[in-house]
Amino acid sequence: MARKGKKRSIQVWGCDLEDGTRISNDDDGIVSVIVNGDHSVTVTDSNNNARIVEGARWVSYVPRQN
């Protein structure tokens, strides 16, 4: 059954983008990667500054396992 309502943001290990590139928490300066319900990507740097990556739209992601 499909979920109703707003899709939530999910913190992930990394994601693949529409243009074939990948964003990962292993990349230089990136501590955290978040995929948003509207297919945008938010990254956080080591200074705890969060920003939306311009023009990035995710197509798949690697979920975090707790």
Side-chain angles (χ1 to χ4, degrees):
M1 182 173 184
R3 182 186 301 193
K4 295 180 181 178
K6 183 179 176 185
K7 295 181 181 178
R8 63 187 179 107
S9 299
I10 303 171
Q11 189 170 9
V12 297
W13 291 120
C15 63
D16 295 320
L17 305 179
E18 287 180 334
D19 63 3
T21 60
R22 183 183 217 14
I23 296 177
S24 169
N25 67 332
D26 292 333
D27 295 343
D28 288 336
I30 296 177
V31 176
S32 174
V33 180
I34 298 171
V35 292
N36 302 308
D38 62 355
H39 285 263
S40 63
V41 179
T42 303
V43 294
T44 305
D45 64 16
S46 57
N47 295 324
N48 205 26
N49 296 321
R51 65 178 174 87
I52 294 177
V53 180
E54 292 294 324
R57 294 190 43 82
W58 63 270
V59 292
S60 66
Y61 60 86
V62 180
R64 285 192 151 168
Q65 303 288 327
N66 292 343

